[in-house]
Amino acid sequence: MDLIEIISGRYLIEILGACVRFTYLNTIILFKKDDFITFSGIWSPKGNKNKKDANSERNHMIGVIFLGGIVFLLIILTSF
């Protein structure tokens, strides 16, 4: 793989994970009638480098799980 594809793929997975987390957290907050979380708070929170790295890893992990779930559902549903 080309280095540009690896880097862009990582960022696309992180954006997907951040979008999923943003939607999920704000849906839960909507039912609790609390203040909303901004997308920048999920994508790049304020704080030290360890917090930013942990948040980036969490976005990446959720993005991979979500994309894997979509691929899994596509395989299952197209086999009928």
Side-chain angles (χ1 to χ4, degrees), residues 13-24:
I13 293 285
E14 274 192 54
I15 288 173
L16 179 65
C19 288
V20 170
R21 284 183 62 207
F22 175 75
T23 305
Y24 174 74

Side-chain angles (χ1 to χ4, degrees), residues 1 16 19 21 57 63-64 70:
M1 271 194 160
L16 179 65
C19 288
R21 284 183 62 207
E57 290 173 4
V64 168
I70 289 174

Side-chain angles (χ1 to χ4, degrees), residues 4-56:
I4 295 172
E5 291 175 359
I6 293 171
I7 292 171
S8 64
R10 177 173 173 85
Y11 283 118
L12 289 174
I13 293 285
E14 274 192 54
I15 288 173
L16 179 65
C19 288
V20 170
R21 284 183 62 207
F22 175 75
T23 305
Y24 174 74
L25 290 175
N26 282 329
T27 303
I28 298 297
I29 288 172
L30 182 66
F31 291 124
K32 291 183 177 181
K33 307 234 189 285
D34 208 1
D35 290 336
F36 286 105
I37 298 173
T38 62
F39 187 76
S40 64
I42 293 175
W43 176 252
S44 61
K46 295 178 181 174
N48 59 7
K49 184 167 174 47
N50 291 335
K51 183 177 179 181
K52 289 182 181 182
D53 287 342
N55 191 46
S56 176

